[in-house]
Amino acid sequence: ACDLMNQGILALVSSIGCTSAGSLQSLADAMHIPHLFIQRSPAGTPRSGCGLTRSNRNDDYTLSVRPPVYLNDVILRVVTEYAWQKFIIFYDNDYDIRGIQELLDKVSQQGMDVALQKVENNINKMITGLFASMRIEELNRYRDTLRRAILIMNPSTAKSFLTEVVETNLVAFDCHWIIINEEINDVDVQELVRRSIGRLTIIRQTFPVPQNISQRCFRGNHRISSSLCDPKDPFSQSMEISNLYIYDTVLLLANAFHKKLEDRKWHSMASLTCIRKNSKPWQGGRSMLETIKKGGVNGLTGELEFAENGGNPNVHFEILGTNYGEDLGRGIRKLGCWNPITGLNGSLTDRKLENNMRGVVLRVVTVLEEPFVMVSENVLGKPKKYQGFSIDVLEALATYLGFKYEIYVAPDHKYGSPQDDGSWNGLIGELVFKRADIGISALTITPDRENVVDFTTRYMDYSVGVLLRKAEKTVDMFACLAPFDLSLWACIAGTVLLVGLLVYLLNWLNPPRLQMGSMTSTTLYNSMWFVYGSFVQQGGEVPYTTLATRLMMGAWWLFALIVISSYTANLAAFLTITRIENSIQSLQDLSRQTDIPYGTVLDSAVYEHVRVKGMNPFERDGMYAQMWRMINRSNGSENNVLESTAGIQKVKFGNYAFVWDAAVLEYVAINDAECSFYTVGNTVADRGYGIALQHGSPYRDVFSQRILELQQNGDMDILKHKWWPKNGQCDLYSSVDTKQKGGALDIKSFAGVFCILAAGIVLSCFIAMLETWWNKRKGSRVPSKEDDKEIDLEHLHRRVNSLCTDDDSPHKQFSTSSIDLTPLDIDTLPTRQALEQISDFRNTHITTTTFIPEQIQTLSRTLSAKAASGFSFGSVPEHRTGPFRHRAPNGGFFRSPIKTMSSIPYQPTPTLGLNIGSDPDRGTSI
């Protein structure tokens, strides 16, 4: 600069870094030489503010051709628009970190979490060192940090860095990176987009291009070379912005000098010596500086002019961006622009993600779990097809948002749990290591999982349940006896015998007056039979006329009514109620018993849930502590299983209770072919099922919003009823092995009744055969006093008839060894047909009954004279039917047996005649 001043100059143009700019500023201010400073960054690295000191406006001869560094303002505005709260800033070796100090202060005031990392020249070595020095847990957190990043580096370094992080799987397609640099051209933009995945936002400085193609290369009276003014020319594409500003600066000076010449205010060039202390500054410096500041030019960088502070206020930033996706080389579009005056113009919202996701293919990891995810079709050579409740939810989201998905099962068939080294296995591990985009199954939302992955809002409530095998219903052939206890049946049987005996004793002590037509006697056998018949509501045949006997029978009938009514009510309840109360009806009941071992899937969410609550000393409910002792037997290997299907099979074929997700267990119980399961569990849902995504995934909010819409419009309930119908073929809560097929009774319930009937039939047949055999063996026999059986009265009938024949004998003799007959009470006969009772004899136990046909009223015959002459009954004028009215002193019929031969006087009845001997319809039975 001193050498040029010695030669003589009108102005000084410099394109250097900030370090040398301060020295030139001091020299230009001292010599009053207009200094046009064009800041240049090494190797295309973004600029940082030089911070040139300006003491006095009159003594300041340095003009900044390039606009101030607005990178901090642009970054803050874009980050705020994207609503970032946590991100990392990468910068290269050539960038001055002091340039973003203002940005760090502002984001810190807004509560944002920002990290800084310098990118070394050997990027591959840096990435390798990260994998070697970090543990898996730290590396997972580092991957989470890389999801939101800002790159402040030259384009070549940015390309290499993107390539390395993508190839080493440090980032996935859900990442969002911002690259900001003024020196990025179109070729660099295409290359950066091709090497990146996820979402990419590029911020670069842009210059307005005239719409008229013919006017692009003309700036007033100056014509610019076509290689510079054509934006599509390769030479102009490769030019740095600093060179464009140099071109416009020279053009500005040429216009200023031309104006000086036209105004005739030209000053000779200064020939100054910098070394001398007493050197005087150029006298025409101030005038030349004012001419340059007032001038302006429309060049390759647009309008080049200076403000009062000596800076160029004209700057425009272009914001380009891509959408989320894995496709390399996808298109990029302009999202908006920014300038210091109007700020951000445009929207940075990803409309494609909010409205639809057409063209996006998601990789879905799952774990087979009925009824959430099941294989519906497995054809060799073709991808498996899946079905289930979770698949229906995913399909509803895909239909609404328009994305496609590919499903694969987690390699270890587990949901995922943290390992000793801090890593995760199973489905969660696939998301943590960025091998899958979303995870869906019967996946519950837990705090540990939310630390490493993101979850949507719950699409179904979750609760812990227990699967148990129904008690096999034993066949009780004598269910009809179930309403009463055995001791009660014994008491009833004893009561029947006791009452029958008492009735007999009462009638023996006070014999009843038998009515005409009575066919039975008050024997012990008949008393017992009458008491039993009244008990079973079938009536009786023994007449009881005494007051004591009637009081006893009234009490007995009331007792029988109450017993039979109670039996009928209890029998109906026993035969219709099929549910047998089981001792395990809740988790509390399960924890209190030790007869049935129980467990869950090892290292599952249920296992961790019970472990955490069981080992928590502040847990009020001791249920979980008891459950944990059972589940953790033998370090968890005794009662736990590796998969849920193994636990279900263990319940079905053994004495075991399986603790698992209530929704899964209910589906298993409903669809079991044998209806051999029932479930119990908590009614309060403390957690829920959700869709897992990579931590910080952009799909979480849109998925959650759509799930809420499905729940609000009732579509989610329709999907639930598809897999958990209200009217299933099996009863979930019945602890007996029965199906819901109405209340019809089966043969098993009445087998005992048929057995009793069959036993009675067999016994009666046996007794009938025995009686037949006995009668044939003994033949006809005369009844004795000890026997109370039916006898043949043919002999008696002939002897009675002989009394009424025309026999010349005055009377017939009856031996004392024969029988005694009570006189017939003829006048009490009914009009149609009646029974003529001849009283029983206590000595012979014989009762005779004469049947007189209804034609008795039409008979006009009288006894023959010979018969009448043989019987003289005496005169009883009060009775027209004869004197057969003699009664014993005790009120009964006269029953004195005939010991000696006697004659019976007989008086004929004038109005009624009987021809007993010739009446073929007359008969007598005992």
Side-chain angles (χ1 to χ4, degrees):
C2 287
D3 292 341
L4 291 175
M5 290 180 184
N6 290 332
Q7 297 176 9
I9 57 175
L10 295 173
L12 179 63
V13 179
S14 65
S15 179
I16 55 177
C18 294
T19 304
S20 302
S23 301
L24 290 180
Q25 180 186 12
S26 301
L27 180 60
D29 292 344
M31 296 301 168
H32 293 186
I33 300 296
H35 176 210
L36 281 74
F37 170 60
I38 303 171
Q39 184 181 359
R40 180 183 295 273
S41 57
T45 302
R47 297 183 302 145
S48 59
C50 290
L52 299 177
T53 58
R54 301 187 180 275
S55 57
N56 192 334
R57 181 178 299 178
N58 295 328
D59 296 336
D60 190 2
Y61 283 84
T62 299
L63 300 177
S64 297
V65 178
R66 296 192 68 171
V69 180
Y70 289 105
L71 297 184
N72 291 337
D73 300 305
V74 178
I75 292 174
L76 183 61
R77 184 68 181 89
V78 171
V79 169
T80 304
E81 186 73 12
Y82 285 139
W84 286 10
Q85 294 297 323
K86 180 180 180 181
F87 56 90
I88 185 173
I89 298 177
F90 292 99
Y91 62 95
D92 56 15
N93 283 328
D94 297 327
Y95 181 72
D96 189 357
I97 192 62
R98 294 174 295 178
I100 60 173
Q101 184 62 46
E102 182 182 359
L103 172 66
L104 297 177
D105 295 340
K106 291 182 179 180
V107 297
S108 177
Q109 294 174 2
Q110 296 183 12
M112 298 182 185
D113 186 7
V114 183
L116 293 174
Q117 184 172 356
K118 183 178 181 179
V119 178
E120 304 293 340
N121 293 330
N122 192 341
I123 300 176
N124 183 270
K125 182 178 179 181
M126 183 191 75
I127 299 298
T128 305
L130 291 176
F131 281 96
S133 61
M134 290 185 178
R135 296 181 301 176
I136 295 181
E137 183 178 356
E138 296 175 344
L139 196 60
N140 291 334
R141 288 197 296 266
Y142 183 69
R143 283 194 178 97
D144 179 65
T145 305
L146 293 182
R147 294 180 58 257
R148 301 289 182 265
I150 298 176
L151 275 60
I152 304 177
M153 56 185 67
N154 63 72
S156 60
T157 305
K159 296 172 189 177
S160 301
F161 186 68
L162 283 175
T163 302
E164 290 292 336
V165 295
V166 171
E167 290 180 353
T168 55
N169 200 28
L170 281 176
V171 294
F173 81 100
D174 66 332
C175 68
H176 187 183
W177 283 16
I178 298 175
I179 301 176
I180 184 167
N181 196 328
E182 299 167 327
E183 299 287 347
I184 298 177
N185 54 42
D186 294 342
V187 177
D188 295 332
V189 169
Q190 296 299 328
E191 188 66 19
L192 290 171
V193 172
R194 188 185 66 84
R195 299 189 180 196
S196 66
I197 61 174
R199 189 176 185 184
L200 183 65
T201 300
I202 299 176
I203 303 174
R204 65 175 181 175
Q205 186 177 355
T206 185
F207 306 105
V209 179
Q211 298 296 330
N212 191 352
I213 299 177
S214 61
Q215 298 297 325
R216 288 180 180 178
C217 296
F218 292 92
R219 301 295 187 269
N221 57 355
H222 182 75
R223 185 178 183 278
I224 304 175
S225 173
S226 60
S227 61
L228 298 177
C229 63
D230 187 2
K232 297 182 181 180
D233 190 275
F235 181 76
S236 63
Q237 287 287 336
S238 61
M239 284 189 65
E240 295 182 4
I241 295 179
S242 301
N243 296 334
L244 298 178
Y245 276 108
I246 291 175
Y247 186 94
D248 290 347
T249 300
V250 174
L251 185 59
L252 176 65
L253 289 175
N255 291 338
F257 295 157
H258 187 267
K259 186 175 181 59
K260 274 289 186 180
L261 292 175
E262 288 182 348
D263 295 343
R264 298 180 183 276
K265 295 180 180 180
W266 183 260
H267 297 278
S268 59
M269 291 184 296
S271 180
L272 306 174
T273 302
C274 303
I275 300 175
R276 296 179 183 178
K277 294 182 180 181
N278 56 355
S279 297
K280 295 182 179 181
W282 182 36
Q283 296 299 324
R286 173 58 58 183
S287 176
M288 182 61 70
L289 179 64
E290 294 297 330
T291 303
I292 295 173
K293 291 176 63 176
K294 292 179 180 180
V297 65
N298 187 6
L300 297 176
T301 59
E303 291 291 336
L304 178 58
E305 57 186 1
F306 298 98
E308 291 294 330
N309 60 358
N312 181 10
N314 298 321
V315 63
H316 297 274
F317 287 93
E318 183 182 38
I319 304 175
L320 307 175
T322 65
N323 294 322
Y324 289 99
E326 291 181 314
D327 299 334
L328 300 177
R330 59 196 181 282
I332 190 169
R333 61 187 178 90
K334 183 178 179 179
L335 302 178
C337 58
W338 186 92
N339 62 72
I341 300 175
T342 61
L344 179 64
N345 183 16
S347 177
L348 304 184
T349 305
D350 189 358
R351 298 176 182 176
K352 188 173 184 180
L353 180 60
E354 287 190 349
N355 297 335
N356 61 74
M357 296 170 58
R358 301 190 183 279
V360 178
V361 179
L362 300 180
R363 188 166 173 80
V364 181
V365 60
T366 187
V367 174
L368 298 180
E369 187 75 77
E370 295 182 352
F372 291 88
V373 179
M374 300 175 289
V375 178
S376 61
E377 183 178 340
N378 187 9
V379 180
L380 184 63
K382 295 183 179 180
K384 293 181 180 179
K385 294 184 179 181
Y386 298 88
Q387 65 177 1
F389 175 64
S390 296
I391 299 299
D392 291 344
V393 175
L394 180 63
E395 185 64 28
L397 296 176
T399 302
Y400 179 79
L401 299 175
F403 65 87
K404 297 181 180 180
Y405 56 88
E406 298 175 354
I407 302 180
Y408 73 97
V409 180
D412 55 0
H413 302 278
K414 294 182 179 180
Y415 289 99
S417 59
Q419 305 300 302
D420 296 336
D421 56 359
S423 63
W424 283 74
N425 62 354
L427 183 149
I428 301 298
E430 296 295 307
L431 296 173
V432 171
F433 289 101
K434 311 296 183 181
R435 290 189 287 265
D437 304 323
I438 63 175
I440 192 168
S441 184
L443 189 65
T444 54
I445 304 174
T446 62
D448 293 337
R449 291 172 178 173
E450 279 195 309
N451 289 333
V452 293
V453 297
D454 285 347
F455 279 96
T456 62
T457 185
R458 64 174 64 181
Y459 60 86
M460 184 177 179
D461 292 332
Y462 165 86
S463 62
V464 177
V466 183
L467 183 69
L468 300 106
R469 182 174 177 82
K470 291 182 179 180
E472 295 184 358
K473 188 177 180 181
T474 58
V475 179
D476 187 5
M477 297 180 59
F478 297 95
C480 58
L481 304 179
F484 289 167
D485 187 61
L486 181 60
S487 59
L488 182 57
W489 282 116
C491 292
I492 293 175
T495 305
V496 171
L497 297 177
L498 179 62
V499 173
L501 180 61
L502 292 176
V503 169
Y504 171 75
L505 293 178
L506 289 177
N507 283 279
W508 185 79
L509 295 176
N510 189 11
R513 299 177 61 184
L514 301 179
Q515 300 295 327
M516 177 63 68
S518 179
M519 299 176 60
T520 58
S521 61
T522 57
T523 62
L524 178 61
Y525 170 80
N526 290 334
S527 298
M528 293 291 181
W529 181 254
F530 176 78
V531 171
Y532 172 76
S534 63
F535 177 76
V536 296
Q537 298 181 348
Q538 297 300 319
E541 299 177 0
V542 178
Y544 299 102
T545 58
T546 61
L547 180 61
T549 306
R550 289 183 175 182
L551 288 176
M552 174 173 289
M553 293 310 302
W556 169 250
W557 288 337
L558 180 61
F559 169 81
L561 176 64
I562 296 174
V563 172
I564 295 300
S565 300
S566 302
Y567 173 82
T568 304
N570 287 340
L571 180 63
F574 270 86
L575 294 180
T576 55
I577 296 178
T578 58
R579 179 178 177 180
I580 299 176
E581 295 295 335
N582 193 284
S583 59
I584 300 178
Q585 295 297 327
S586 64
L587 288 178
Q588 288 79 4
D589 296 338
L590 181 69
S591 63
R592 296 190 189 105
Q593 60 85 39
T594 56
D595 296 334
I596 302 178
Y598 52 90
T600 184
V601 177
L602 194 63
D603 296 332
S604 63
V606 178
Y607 182 86
E608 291 297 323
H609 177 70
V610 177
R611 183 186 66 82
V612 172
K613 285 187 171 291
M615 299 180 65
N616 185 8
F618 301 101
E619 181 68 29
R620 295 182 179 180
D621 192 358
M623 175 189 69
Y624 289 100
Q626 296 173 352
M627 292 181 64
W628 175 243
R629 284 193 293 268
M630 173 65 75
I631 292 177
N632 197 39
R633 283 185 180 179
S634 302
N635 200 18
S637 60
E638 179 179 347
N639 295 327
N640 296 310
V641 293
L642 298 179
E643 294 182 357
S644 59
T645 54
I648 296 172
Q649 293 298 319
K650 196 172 181 180
V651 173
K652 190 169 187 178
F653 299 103
N655 184 32
Y656 183 74
F658 183 50
V659 183
W660 195 236
D661 299 357
V664 177
L665 300 181
E666 288 178 1
Y667 176 82
V668 172
I670 290 175
N671 294 275
D672 183 53
E674 301 176 358
C675 292
S676 59
F677 298 119
Y678 79 100
T679 62
V680 297
N682 289 334
T683 58
V684 180
D686 54 351
R687 284 179 289 173
Y689 298 98
I691 300 177
L693 304 97
Q694 294 181 7
H695 194 52
S697 174
Y699 306 124
R700 180 186 63 181
D701 295 337
V702 67
F703 279 15
S704 299
Q705 181 180 358
R706 180 54 184 164
I707 289 173
L708 292 176
E709 293 176 359
L710 291 175
Q711 293 174 345
Q712 185 175 2
N713 57 28
D715 293 340
M716 193 68 71
D717 293 333
I718 296 176
L719 296 179
K720 291 179 182 178
H721 294 162
K722 175 182 177 182
W723 299 101
W724 290 276
K726 292 183 178 179
N727 299 322
Q729 64 177 355
C730 301
D731 187 2
L732 290 178
Y733 311 106
S734 175
S735 58
V736 295
D737 192 6
T738 181
K739 296 183 179 180
Q740 298 174 347
K741 292 185 178 179
L745 300 177
D746 53 4
I747 188 62
K748 299 177 182 178
S749 302
F750 280 91
V753 179
F754 287 98
C755 290
I756 294 175
L757 177 61
I761 294 174
V762 172
L763 183 61
S764 62
C765 293
F766 175 75
I767 293 177
M769 294 172 61
L770 186 62
E771 288 180 344
T772 303
W773 172 79
W774 182 261
N775 291 333
K776 288 183 178 180
R777 180 179 179 182
K778 296 296 183 179
S780 177
R781 61 190 181 92
V782 179
S784 63
K785 296 181 180 181
E786 291 78 11
D787 297 328
D788 189 12
K789 296 182 180 180
E790 185 175 343
I791 65 172
D792 187 7
L793 289 183
E794 287 295 329
H795 177 69
L796 177 63
H797 189 68
R798 288 193 301 268
R799 299 182 66 178
V800 172
N801 288 338
S802 64
L803 297 177
C804 301
T805 58
D806 296 332
D807 195 346
D808 296 335
S809 300
H811 60 271
K812 292 293 182 180
Q813 295 181 357
F814 295 86
S815 74
T816 57
S817 62
S818 181
I819 59 174
D820 297 332
L821 299 178
T822 303
L824 304 179
D825 195 356
I826 302 299
D827 63 341
T828 60
L829 292 175
T831 59
R832 292 181 59 86
Q833 180 176 349
L835 300 179
E836 186 176 305
Q837 177 69 32
I838 299 177
S839 177
D840 62 314
F841 291 86
R842 298 187 181 275
N843 296 332
T844 61
H845 302 284
I846 296 176
T847 300
T848 63
T849 303
T850 301
F851 297 89
I852 301 176
E854 60 180 348
Q855 292 84 356
I856 189 170
Q857 293 182 356
T858 62
L859 295 176
S860 59
R861 293 173 297 175
T862 59
L863 295 174
S864 61
K866 293 182 179 181
S869 62
F871 293 90
S872 178
F873 287 87
S875 177
V876 185
E878 293 85 3
H879 299 276
R880 59 182 178 86
T881 56
F884 303 104
R885 303 282 301 177
H886 299 286
R887 298 186 178 272
N890 58 1
F893 289 108
F894 184 78
R895 299 174 183 177
S896 176
I898 300 175
K899 298 297 182 177
T900 60
M901 303 291 291
S902 63
S903 63
I904 304 175
Y906 175 77
Q907 179 158 351
T909 302
T911 60
L912 178 63
L914 297 176
N915 190 359
I916 302 175
S918 62
D919 188 358
D921 295 329
R922 181 177 179 84
T924 303
S925 65
I926 295 180

